Amino acid sequence: TPDARADSRPTMSKRLIPLLDRVLVKRLEAPKSVGGILLPESTMSKLNEGTVIAVGPGRRDKDGSLIPMGVKEGDKVLLPQYGGAEVKLEEEELFLFRDEELLGVLKD
């Protein structure tokens, strides 16, 4: 059926492969209500957490050796408050950061 094929296709974010040492991240959204009270968007700050969607192959040093990436797909990461290149793919808001810009990996 056509619906089954549409569901099996990769999303646009899965088709975008970052170059070099870039990391594609989906920022986690802040909750829209606290204790049943809806909060206006102007009072909510951006969360500095995100999920890694895709990673590039890594950067090369001056000798040509590949420097491995510090994160992998699915990692939860701590993001800087500013920075990153905003990318909008099929109504999905994503961000591209360099591996070195990420502040850390969050473990459960």
Side-chain angles (χ1 to χ4, degrees):
T1 64
D3 292 332
R5 273 182 288 162
D7 292 342
S8 66
R9 287 186 306 196
T11 62
M12 182 63 85
S13 61
K14 290 292 185 185
R15 288 187 275 164
L16 176 64
I17 300 169
L19 298 175
L20 301 174
D21 63 340
R22 289 182 177 82
V23 180
L24 187 64
V25 176
K26 181 173 184 175
R27 193 180 291 265
L28 296 180
E29 295 182 16
K32 299 207 186 258
S33 69
V34 174
I37 299 171
L38 290 176
L39 299 173
E41 286 196 30
S42 60
T43 62
M44 295 187 295
S45 62
K46 289 183 180 176
L47 288 179
N48 289 350
E49 295 178 24
T51 303
V52 175
I53 303 297
V55 296
R59 187 171 43 122
R60 296 204 177 264
D61 64 11
K62 62 183 177 180
D63 298 325
S65 300
L66 189 66
I67 299 171
M69 298 292 283
V71 296
K72 62 186 180 307
E73 283 186 34
D75 281 351
K76 284 192 176 186
V77 293
L78 184 63
L79 304 171
Q81 186 170 3
Y82 301 103
E86 187 175 339
V87 179
K88 199 164 195 174
L89 299 172
E90 294 181 356
E91 305 302 319
E92 194 172 18
E93 192 174 294
L94 304 169
F95 293 87
L96 274 171
F97 289 93
R98 288 192 176 274
D99 187 39
E100 64 193 28
E101 293 176 332
L102 299 176
L103 303 176
V105 177
L106 300 169
K107 299 287 184 185
D108 289 332

